Amino acid sequence: MSESGSGSGLASEEKANSRQRLQVKVNDCKENQNITYVSLIPVQTAVLGKAPKVYLAPFSLSNCKLDQLKGAKALLENNSVLCKRYKKTEIKKTCRVLIPKMNVTSCKEESTLQKSSFDVHIEHNKPQHKSTSDMVILSGDMESSQDGDSDEETTPGSDDFPGLSPYERKRLRNISENANFFASLQLSESAARLREMIKKRQPPELKRKKPKKRENEIGCRRSMRLLKVDPSGVSLPATSTQPTLIADETVRKSPLLPPGPLEMTPENQDYNNELFKGFLQTWAGLSKTSSKNTEKRLSGIKSYKTNLNSMVITEDTVHKVTKGSISSMAVHPSETRTLVAAGAKSGQVGLWDLTQQPKEDGIYVFQPHSQPVSCLYFSRANPAHLLSLSYDGTLRCGDFSKGIFEEVYRNESSSCSSFDFLAEDASTLIVGHWDGNVALIDRRTPGTSYEKLTSSSLIKLRTVHVHPVHRQYFITAGLRDVHVYDARHLKPKGSQPLISLTEHTKSIASAYFSPLTGNRVVTTCADCNLRIFDSSCLSSQMPLLTTIRHNTITGRWLTRFQAVWDPKQEDCVIVGSMAYPRRVEIFHETGKRVHSFLGGECLVSVCSINAMHPTRYILAGGNSSGKIHVFMNKESC
């Protein structure tokens, strides 16, 4: 009994020590920051990979031997060392200690452990640090399985786990059978096939059907005025106020003025005014300007630049003359008075006598046309005559000595674009039409003028200009080509040109011979280029001499640029500019810029149409609001 008593006392002491160590171990695990949770409930886990497993065999404190207690003590010490190692690492881990259920065998402190299985499961939170050593199961027998594919690990039997209860063994067996059953169903493969079938059987896109229009459907209410119906239901007659497109410009058709001469009645002045009567008497007394004086005034390029630098603009030489945009301009060749004429888009013709002060008293506006005035010239034979051509198909001569506008030419079926004098005495004229036809007019016939209408090879005809020396030749600017014709060989249909210039890539605005010899031709094209050709020999092709880069894109609301020659200088052309500050530029035939007319606050708009005095240094430019800007030398001012 003493031995048994001493043995039972030793067992009770060992039991108490074991419980104390276990309690310390659990407290250490709870204090660790990296441990997620600690569970004291026994949880049975099955490891399906190649991992070392250690099982604790059940033992009883009443029947245990000293050697078994020493083995358990060694296992607990090893387990505590393992936990300390994991506490030192910075990687977060999960520690789960599973303590088996303990059955109390007596009312006293004696108890017997029916099942004892310590399972310490440490998992790393980072997946890259996982290894087979992260899962450790402690058992009384240190067994490690090298073959993880054996059936004993996945489906344990009753002999494999003698320490488990029948319920635990049945539970593991059911889990294994269920896993095998679901694997045999091949659910993942079936799901993949279903996904492919769903992708292939996508429903077609539904197209919205348009509702059919009903024949008797009542629409929205519209104005009877827009329907051209009077209140009684009777349709109104068609009006002639619809816009028509003529030469890239929108012009509203207006009723033509009656044929025959029109009385010269100013719209801004009283007809019986003494100033207007004096204005007519001034025009009647104007003398002719001979070409000999023009030849004497020709100068070199240096003196020409000096005279251009002396030209200035002031507030007294800027004024609004016409109501609409200016489309044509002319400067009277008088040596004593400064007279400027402007043709407007509204069909008006404005005259401005700059020698009259105040300047409002020297401005007279007339209405000889119903549509834009495209071309304007003073007669070379009689400076008191001003000829104007309009889109309405009429050519009129304003005779200021008589105070009337005579009708020189009329063609209501076709719009006119440009004209020029065939004869030096202005007895014969050539008129170009927008549809490409050309009319030769002889004013010497009694009564009505004689007309000879021919057809050119152009689809559209914008400008016509006669050679200054060989007056039987004239040049035309069309849609894309420039042609030179001989007036003596024109045919009623299909007249062929002598020379054709095909270097242009876009529409052409104008083409003019040089003023004295006609040895040069300048063209203005919408491709932002001014081209100068050699026309000294009209029997052969006209070679291209110079291409001057210049912005000619004026847009819809500005009149198109037309580069013209300075009548005093054979080799210089004048053209408007889109550059800032606003200006009018002069270029030499070599392409060099000779001079730029800057007006400061007096010139703040684009002068599209410009004209130079034939003998004096006077330049007049018109803009798209009806305003005239005049540059003059200081002596003329």
Side-chain angles (χ1 to χ4, degrees), residues 17-202:
N17 294 334
S18 177
R19 290 181 180 179
Q20 185 177 1
R21 293 175 182 175
L22 182 60
Q23 185 66 30
V24 172
K25 182 62 179 178
V26 172
N27 294 332
D28 292 339
C29 293
K30 286 184 178 181
E31 293 175 359
N32 192 359
Q33 297 179 0
N34 298 326
I35 296 173
T36 305
Y37 63 89
V38 177
S39 177
L40 298 178
I41 301 173
V43 178
Q44 188 65 37
T45 57
V47 181
L48 301 180
K50 291 183 179 181
K53 298 180 181 180
V54 181
Y55 296 94
L56 294 179
F59 64 94
S60 176
L61 295 177
S62 59
N63 299 325
C64 65
K65 296 180 182 181
L66 184 60
D67 296 337
Q68 294 179 357
L69 292 176
K70 291 181 180 180
K73 181 179 179 181
L75 289 177
L76 290 175
E77 290 177 354
N78 294 335
N79 198 10
S80 62
V81 173
L82 182 61
C83 289
K84 288 180 180 180
R85 291 180 180 176
Y86 277 95
K87 285 177 67 178
K88 292 180 181 180
T89 57
E90 295 180 357
I91 303 174
K92 293 183 179 182
K93 301 180 180 63
T94 302
C95 180
R96 184 171 57 185
V97 180
L98 303 178
I99 307 299
K101 296 180 180 180
M102 293 179 291
N103 298 326
V104 180
T105 56
S106 62
C107 296
K108 297 181 180 181
E109 293 182 357
E110 295 180 357
S111 61
T112 303
L113 292 176
Q114 300 292 337
K115 297 177 183 180
S116 176
S117 174
F118 296 94
D119 184 2
V120 179
H121 186 197
I122 301 171
E123 298 177 355
H124 292 276
N125 290 334
K126 295 184 179 180
Q128 63 267 23
H129 295 287
K130 289 185 179 182
S131 62
T132 57
S133 62
D134 294 339
M135 301 180 66
V136 179
I137 299 177
L138 300 179
S139 178
D141 300 327
M142 297 296 293
E143 298 178 358
S144 62
S145 173
Q146 299 296 333
D147 299 328
D149 298 333
S150 62
D151 297 337
E152 293 178 357
E153 294 182 2
T154 57
T155 57
S158 59
D159 298 332
D160 297 331
F161 298 94
L164 298 180
S165 64
Y167 170 76
E168 296 291 342
R169 290 195 298 269
K170 185 177 181 180
R171 178 175 173 273
L172 293 177
R173 190 181 302 108
N174 292 337
I175 292 174
S176 177
E177 292 177 357
N178 293 337
N180 294 333
F181 172 74
F182 282 109
S184 63
L185 294 179
Q186 298 179 353
L187 295 179
S188 59
E189 297 178 0
S190 301
R193 288 195 298 267
L194 288 175
R195 292 192 194 95
E196 294 179 358
M197 294 172 64
I198 292 172
K199 291 181 181 179
K200 292 180 180 179
R201 295 182 182 179
Q202 290 181 351

Side-chain angles (χ1 to χ4, degrees), residues 81 196 225 244 266 348 356 419 431 433 463 473 512 542 625:
V81 173
E196 294 179 358
R225 177 182 60 83
T244 57
Q348 293 180 339
Q356 187 73 31
F419 83 97
V431 178
H433 296 259
T463 59
Y473 299 110
Y512 297 105
M542 296 166 53
S625 62

